[in-house]
Amino acid sequence: MINKNRADLIVGIQWGDEGKGKIVDSLAKDYDIVVRYQGGHNAGHTIVVDGKKYALHLIPSGVLNPKATNVIGNGVVISPEALIKEMKQFPDLNLKISDSAHMILEHHSLLDIAKEKLRGKNAIGTTGRGIGPAYSDKVARNGFRIGELEDIDSLEERLLQYLEQNSPIFKSLEIEIDKRTIREKLELYREKLLPYITNTTNYLWNEMDSGSRVLLEGAQGTLLDIDHGTYPFVTSSSTISAGASIGTGLSPKSIGNVIGIAKAYSTRVGNGPFPTEDFGDDGEKLRQQGHEFGTTTGRSRRCGWFDAVAVKHASRLNGCDSLSLMKLDVLDGFEKIKVCVAYKLDEKEISYLPTNLDEVKPVYIEFDGWEQSEGVREFDKLPENAQKYINELEKLIETPISLISTSPDREDTIQR
Ligand code: GDP
Ligand code: IMO
Ligand code: MG
């Protein structure tokens, strides 16, 4: 046995923005190390502590716990510019960055934006942060790893060669890169980031061998997974729990509890299928009450009802031991609340997630609403109809709901 302990894992169960940041932050006090394993600064995690709001994109959401070490794993794609900017908020930052994590450089974001334009009406609705192009370069074996900052001369040479080789592509997309500032930028990245860069796989193995408790933090959500999401309307990484092994170097056997994070309703940013989207007053009410505007791009999030078929599917994909149900309070004041329990596809009712999710129509059941759950911290103190809603969801998704969140604040959570 290499690992004496197991690392617990937090994973988004819908289309991202489920409230992962709040849960990682509140759990971080019980862990020594918090690790991000995929994605990049397309993620936006809002954490509220004592009324103060923090927006995180790359630094793990354990950062507000002064005792935890924060690790950016090899599976993450790092924009050095974005990371340096984010680090400034935390003067005593306890951070380790995997030397194998790939960098998002200027041309990646420019390519992301240019390619989205070319897609026209089939645009994915990416965050424009360069995520797809950076992962594409990684898989095509043309990427730039952050550990290469150690030897700037070689890195600069390789980067200039890459830019030259790809110049016809850049030209046709009207992308211009100022080669004169490259050296200066790489020197800045090196100065600011090199002290934090290390072999994080070895670090995690050693720490786990000596009994440190590790929490793995997923970004995005299951339905945005490159393989299991609503392709091509997905992000470019493995967002599901299995991605944590690849993105950290911890074997699947060393993963312990898997906690899925889901909203009490659904949202999605960007394009792609969303069977329970509500285009009427209810969708608008969810958007307003839930402040459903993106942390990263400020875009308005598409809103709709809880999709029990999709959540049950996602729970199984991730091997969830339990689920945290977030933003219950956003449903306060609704007279009726709908939940999707099956889909209609070609006039047939199905209870699984098909590949052609854009062709299904939701089949709903309806629940009576409740007045107020906001700020409630004990299950028995929730309105009876809210308790009923949670108990029924639990049966539909075949996963225990062990935590319920009733406001953005760290303390407003119910443990069951
Ligand atoms: P993440 O990307 O999964 O970390 O989620 P985001 O931070 O992008 O979006 C979740 C938003 O909901 C944030 O603004 C949180 O502060 C907020 N939030 C989290 N839990 C709750 C809750 O229980 N109730 C309400 N009203 N807001 C919440
Ligand atoms: P967190 O971690 C919600 C979405 C984008 C777009 C698609 C592809 O805050 O939950 P990308 O820029 O990754 O190539 O965009 O994925 N997306 C997210 N949606 N929350 C996120 O992260 C997201 N990260 C990417 O809107 O539809
Ligand atoms: Mg988010």
Side-chain angles (χ1 to χ4, degrees), residues 15-17 20 42-45 125-127 220 224 234-235 269-270 299:
W15 282 282
D17 300 327
K20 299 175 292 290
N42 49 347
H45 305 152
T126 72
T127 58
Q220 287 82 50
L224 290 171
V234 291
T235 190
V269 208
R299 287 180 292 176

Side-chain angles (χ1 to χ4, degrees), residues 249-376:
L250 298 179
S251 82
K253 286 183 181 166
S254 55
I255 293 178
N257 256 333
V258 177
I259 305 162
I261 314 294
K263 272 179 198 171
Y265 50 100
S266 309
T267 63
R268 172 164 204 166
V269 208
N271 303 327
F274 179 5
T276 63
E277 182 167 14
D278 188 291
F279 298 96
D281 293 346
D282 285 339
E284 189 51 37
K285 192 168 167 185
L286 287 170
R287 184 172 305 113
Q288 295 306 328
Q289 292 195 175
H291 303 291
E292 296 296 355
F293 301 92
T295 315
T296 298
T297 56
R299 287 180 292 176
S300 167
R301 294 177 184 150
R302 299 157 64 192
C303 296
W305 301 110
F306 189 87
D307 185 338
V309 184
V311 171
K312 182 176 144 187
H313 175 94
S315 173
R316 175 136 199 199
L317 261 180
N318 288 291
C320 288
D321 296 287
S322 69
L323 219 86
S324 300
L325 192 72
M326 311 301 291
K327 303 186 92 161
L328 183 73
D329 54 296
V330 174
L331 296 176
D332 289 0
F334 276 85
E335 207 168 305
K336 295 282 178 193
I337 295 165
K338 290 191 209 167
V339 170
C340 170
V341 293
Y343 301 131
K344 267 236 162 97
L345 181 66
D346 302 328
E347 294 312 309
K348 270 208 313 238
E349 202 166 298
I350 57 167
S351 55
Y352 62 89
L353 200 80
T355 321
N356 48 343
L357 195 61
D358 50 333
E359 288 170 31
V360 306
K361 294 267 174 294
V363 176
Y364 287 118
I365 57 170
E366 236 178 35
F367 289 83
D368 290 327
W370 55 86
E371 275 306 306
Q372 202 186 338
S373 69
E374 190 186 354
V376 173

Side-chain angles (χ1 to χ4, degrees), residues 325 328 367 370 379 382 385-395 401 404 414 416:
L325 192 72
L328 183 73
F367 289 83
W370 55 86
F379 191 74
L382 282 174
N385 283 345
Q387 294 188 22
K388 206 167 150 193
Y389 182 69
I390 294 159
N391 289 334
E392 286 304 312
L393 289 192
E394 209 168 40
K395 285 185 211 150
I401 296 174
I404 298 137
I414 298 168
R416 285 170 97 199

Side-chain angles (χ1 to χ4, degrees), residues 41 57-58 78-87:
H41 65 312
H57 301 282
L58 272 166
I78 303 172
S79 153
E81 302 267 351
L83 181 57
I84 291 167
K85 191 166 157 219
E86 196 169 326
M87 284 165 72

